[in-house]
Amino acid sequence: MALLHAVTDLIAWLGWYVVPFILILSLIVFVHELGHYLVGRWNGVKIDAFSLGFGPELFARVDARGTRWRVGALPLGGYVKFHGDANAASVAGGAGSDPSVDRSLTLAGQPLRSRAAIVAAGPVANFILAFVIFTGMFMAFGRVEHMARIGRVELDSPAAAAGFQAGDLIKSINGNAIDSFEELQESTLMSTGLPMRFVVERQGGDVQLTATPKITVVDQGVFGKRRMGHLGLASSADPKDAKIERCGLPTCAAWGAAQEWFIVKATGTYIVGMFAGRETADQMSGLIGAAQMAGEMAKINLWELFSLAAWFSVSVGLMNLLPIPLLDGGHLAFYAFEALRGRPLSERAQEIGLRIGIALVALLVVFTTSHDILRLVTNGN
């Protein structure tokens, strides 16, 4: 009986966490690699293989152009192998030593501008995917907005110390107009430990206030404890101060772009905050943490899972733009050096860079995975 319960629990865990994560990761990886594939094809590069997943091949088919479309047993990534590449990391090889390889069909044989476009197409495709998901969700459901009116001020909070009062209507933060309480929350998230200058409307007049969000550790259950900026303000509970906004395609697209830009800004703010000492690296999550998030969103509904997929897609796009050899950003950095020097870096330099990139990515995986495991153990006690 105990064995039956264990098997049932394992199946439930796989269904709620692993399967949703693999589905959204496969979607993100497929779109990313499709960006490389399409732009490569448009530039006349031959594609030898398009793989979803790594490791042993589960099944494959070869199309009329000679591209092998394959699915690997390990669904944690993917790659496009261009003609003449030595490996799936798009390291040039064979074009110079194998006379049977037509250089005009290789990535290395393309003009610098074309190579950069092909490499950048992967992250760009991730941004496009997120934009499409966000825009589609806004078109389907609209969005709920609350007026930037204060309903409650927590005692002994930064907001209370700054002089906020219930009923205040926030008009601007740091000189930027604020139209909703949601914008206040976003600004607070990106201003942890930094002073915020407010203009609020109170009894028909404007009042200027300054408050600095304090760093608060919030227990988010399976997601662990997170450091977040906290002002101590709650939105108005008056139904008149909340509304559901609907939108046509242009407006929804603008909202989708704004949501994506917020993720980019929040990520940049977090990275800057780490170097400035306002943030810590323990906020980062790896594959285990991402699977937990996917499972929790899947338990709510399918739309929340799609929303998480959009967030992940932006994150994958940004991560791949980091100037680390092995990632797309590393290739773009090599191309930038080539543009400045007038000639490519030597194969030896590129090989050393690739090894450094592999080491850095491996260290990141080890760090985030160990942090995820530690969080699981801590929450389990």
Side-chain angles (χ1 to χ4, degrees), residues 8-289:
T8 303
D9 290 343
L10 176 61
I11 294 174
W13 184 81
L14 289 173
W16 281 119
Y17 292 98
V18 177
V19 173
F21 174 63
I22 289 178
L23 287 176
I24 63 174
L25 179 62
S26 297
L27 171 64
I28 292 168
V29 169
F30 177 79
V31 169
H32 179 97
E33 300 302 334
L34 187 64
H36 292 312
Y37 171 84
L38 290 176
V39 178
R41 281 277 313 279
W42 289 337
N43 282 275
V45 179
K46 182 181 177 183
I47 315 295
D48 288 342
F50 187 117
S51 181
L52 188 61
F54 300 109
E57 188 172 278
L58 297 180
F59 56 87
R61 61 175 292 268
V62 179
D63 65 19
R65 297 182 177 87
T67 300
R68 187 175 187 84
W69 298 78
R70 67 185 299 276
V71 174
L74 187 61
L76 297 178
Y79 61 86
V80 166
K81 186 174 184 298
F82 298 104
H83 191 56
D85 285 351
N87 52 45
S90 292
V91 175
S97 58
D98 187 351
S100 66
V101 175
D102 185 348
R103 185 172 174 80
S104 67
L105 299 178
T106 67
L107 174 63
Q110 305 307 306
L112 179 60
R113 181 167 54 185
S114 297
R115 279 180 280 148
I118 293 169
V119 169
V124 170
N126 285 131
F127 297 139
I128 292 174
L129 173 62
F131 171 74
V132 169
I133 292 176
F134 284 136
T135 300
M137 293 187 69
F138 282 131
M139 292 189 68
F141 305 108
R143 69 178 182 182
V144 178
E145 275 204 347
H146 298 81
M147 289 186 64
R149 191 180 304 281
I150 306 306
R152 179 174 56 86
V153 181
E154 293 181 11
L155 295 175
D156 301 322
S157 66
F164 278 93
Q165 298 179 11
D168 286 348
L169 178 64
I170 299 176
K171 298 175 64 176
S172 70
I173 299 176
N174 295 332
N176 300 313
I178 292 295
D179 297 320
S180 67
F181 196 84
E182 287 72 19
E183 289 185 57
L184 165 63
Q185 292 174 317
E186 292 179 357
S187 297
T188 303
L189 178 65
M190 293 188 291
S191 301
T192 303
L194 298 175
M196 302 172 67
R197 295 176 288 104
F198 296 85
V199 174
V200 303
E201 181 181 306
R202 179 183 299 170
Q203 298 177 351
D206 288 347
V207 178
Q208 296 187 14
L209 304 171
T210 300
T212 301
K214 67 177 181 180
I215 299 174
T216 303
V217 178
V218 179
D219 190 348
Q220 296 183 316
V222 296
F223 302 138
K225 295 180 179 181
R226 305 280 176 171
R227 291 158 53 93
M228 302 176 65
H230 182 71
L231 275 175
L233 295 173
S235 63
S236 170
D238 190 339
K240 296 180 181 178
D241 289 335
K243 61 181 178 179
I244 298 178
E245 290 190 314
R246 299 291 181 179
C247 57
L249 179 57
T251 301
C252 285
W255 291 354
Q259 181 68 27
E260 191 164 2
W261 179 237
F262 166 70
I263 299 173
V264 173
K265 288 193 299 181
T267 303
T269 300
Y270 171 71
I271 293 173
V272 172
M274 278 204 304
F275 284 103
R278 296 190 302 270
E279 303 283 359
T280 61
D282 61 5
Q283 307 298 296
M284 301 170 65
S285 293
L287 294 175
I288 297 175

